[in-house]
Amino acid sequence: MTTIRGVANSGAGGAGGAKKPSVNLDDVSKTIIELLQHDGRKSYASIAQQVGLSEAAVRQRVQRLLDADVMQIVAVTDPLQVGFQRQAMVGLRVSGDMTPVADALSEMDEVSYVVTTAGSFDVLAEVVCENDTHLLELLTTRIRPLPGVTATETFVYLKLNKQLYNWGTR
């Protein structure tokens, strides 16, 4: 399934700290996003026809949205069907500043999603591993030893019931 995954732009530009360019989300840009959320393979020509712009203008707008991390165009897969046997959400409790922990997690190849939260956990990280041995190694040698991590709780996924990224724009 090809789709768009929305990415919140923190303004800090991610772990590297480089500021991303800002983008004006006018009604045309929002429509382009929604069309691509429905079908990430939709052609620029088709989008141009629907929004009343030239193909080149649509291409430029899409590139600006990508460059600003407003969206990503990716192939979203079910990890179990492409050779990964274990997915989990790891909740982390952190003492002090949560940013270095979130940044370190963001640099790990196995981590697909990181969010700083309020509530029982300070940071949540979704991980995709080859198997349980890989998950155990990741937790014990790379995640738990991170400076500031005081506790973790791992929620192993048994089945992917729903995964959609077509919530539209506001």
Side-chain angles (χ1 to χ4, degrees):
M1 168 184 358
T2 302
T3 189
I4 297 227
R5 180 169 184 166
V7 177
N9 187 354
S10 65
K19 187 160 173 61
K20 297 288 182 176
S22 64
V23 169
N24 177 23
L25 286 182
D26 61 10
D27 289 340
V28 173
S29 291
K30 289 177 181 181
T31 301
I32 291 170
I33 291 168
E34 290 172 1
L35 290 167
L36 288 169
Q37 281 178 324
H38 181 72
D39 179 0
R41 297 176 297 170
K42 195 169 201 63
S43 72
Y44 293 134
S46 173
I47 294 169
Q49 212 171 29
Q50 291 182 264
V51 298
L53 294 177
S54 69
E55 185 176 340
V58 169
R59 184 179 290 107
Q60 288 174 348
R61 279 189 187 236
V62 168
Q63 191 58 54
R64 281 196 301 267
L65 293 166
L66 294 169
D67 291 345
D69 281 346
V70 171
M71 66 179 190
Q72 297 175 16
I73 300 174
V74 298
V76 177
T77 61
D78 179 346
L80 291 174
Q81 295 189 44
V82 293
F84 295 94
Q85 297 175 14
R86 182 56 65 216
Q87 250 187 305
M89 182 66 69
V90 181
L92 295 93
R93 291 186 183 89
V94 177
S95 65
D97 187 2
M98 297 172 279
T99 303
V101 172
D103 288 347
L105 291 166
S106 297
E107 294 297 319
M108 295 180 189
D109 290 338
E110 297 89 346
V111 177
S112 62
Y113 182 78
V114 177
V115 61
T116 303
T117 65
S120 325
F121 297 105
D122 300 304
V123 178
L124 292 174
E126 183 177 52
V127 300
V128 179
C129 297
E130 292 175 19
N131 51 40
D132 287 337
T133 302
H134 183 195
L135 175 60
L136 180 61
E137 180 274 328
L138 177 65
L139 290 168
T140 59
T141 67
R142 295 173 46 216
I143 292 178
R144 288 182 178 155
L146 289 172
V149 173
T150 61
T152 65
E153 187 171 345
T154 303
F155 303 89
V156 173
Y157 296 3
L158 299 176
K159 179 181 175 186
L160 178 61
N161 297 93
K162 182 177 182 178
Q163 183 177 24
L164 296 175
Y165 300 101
N166 59 350
W167 51 79
T169 61
R170 300 292 173 263

